[in-house]
Amino acid sequence: LVRHAHHLGCKDILFACATGAVQGMATMGLGVLTDQINLTGHNPLAEWDELRDVDTPFVGMTEAYSSYLRGIALGVAQDEGIALQQGVYAGVLGPSFETPAEVAALRAMGVSFTGMSTVNEVIMARALGMNVLGLTLAANFAGDGSVTHQSVLVEAQKHADDFEKLVRGVLAKL
């Protein structure tokens, strides 16, 4: 998907994901990603022989998420009266939800949001020279024993209108 968008001439790309909020670092609700930690055990650039359009597998990730695009999102959120928190995202393999010990480790690493996607797509987008905006909906507290897939869907629905306004507002400014 990322390589296809690149082939179509896309320079900026927006990734959206549902995440768990790490208590003490984030709350449930909408957020913008500032950085990431890849804990998936995978990197799309590791299969170098199969990559096209990438000059080198050694890609700088210092600004994985564009501060310029993040600024646009924060401005749209302010204009629309949408609460938008910022934080570091940790991508984990999943599909199981996090254990309390995993959440404690993530908190110690400075993680605000945890999820099961996005990090590898961001790595590929950066390798292709694309600017990345990462948006999230923290739909549960990470490590909460009562969380279910259904409860995540219910929480997501509560924020659907604000999320749509945010995305449409960002796209209108690009």
Side-chain angles (χ1 to χ4, degrees):
L1 178 65
V2 174
R3 291 185 354 200
H4 184 68
H6 179 260
H7 281 292
L8 293 174
C10 181
K11 302 287 185 215
D12 299 325
I13 192 163
L14 184 154
F15 293 109
C17 56
T19 56
V22 176
Q23 287 189 355
M25 304 297 288
T27 60
M28 292 195 324
L30 296 178
V32 62
L33 307 180
T34 60
D35 205 346
Q36 71 180 29
I37 300 172
N38 183 357
L39 300 174
T40 67
H42 180 71
N43 185 312
L45 303 178
E47 301 297 326
W48 177 244
D49 293 339
E50 298 176 19
L51 292 178
R52 296 182 317 264
D53 305 319
V54 176
D55 295 331
T56 176
F58 302 102
V59 176
M61 295 295 293
T62 301
E63 189 162 324
Y65 297 90
S66 165
S67 59
Y68 171 73
L69 294 177
R70 189 168 56 249
I72 291 173
L74 291 167
V76 168
Q78 183 175 5
D79 291 348
E80 295 289 337
I82 299 169
L84 188 64
Q85 56 194 325
Q86 298 185 70
V88 174
Y89 174 76
V92 297
L93 184 58
S96 56
F97 293 109
E98 304 80 12
T99 69
E102 290 168 337
V103 175
L106 293 169
R107 186 180 302 107
M109 289 191 295
V111 171
S112 302
F113 309 105
T114 182
M116 303 168 210
S117 63
T118 307
V119 293
N120 288 298
E121 292 87 348
V122 170
I123 291 168
M124 181 56 73
R126 293 301 301 136
L128 294 169
M130 299 169 84
N131 301 305
V132 175
L133 174 62
L135 298 177
T136 187
L137 166 60
N140 62 281
F141 282 111
D144 179 350
S146 68
V147 69
T148 64
H149 183 66
Q150 185 60 36
S151 68
V152 168
L153 295 175
V154 167
E155 187 65 25
Q157 187 58 44
K158 294 177 186 177
H159 300 277
D161 290 340
D162 281 347
F163 185 77
E164 182 178 347
K165 281 188 228 174
L166 180 62
V167 170
R168 286 182 182 275
V170 168
L171 293 176
K173 300 230 183 249
L174 293 179

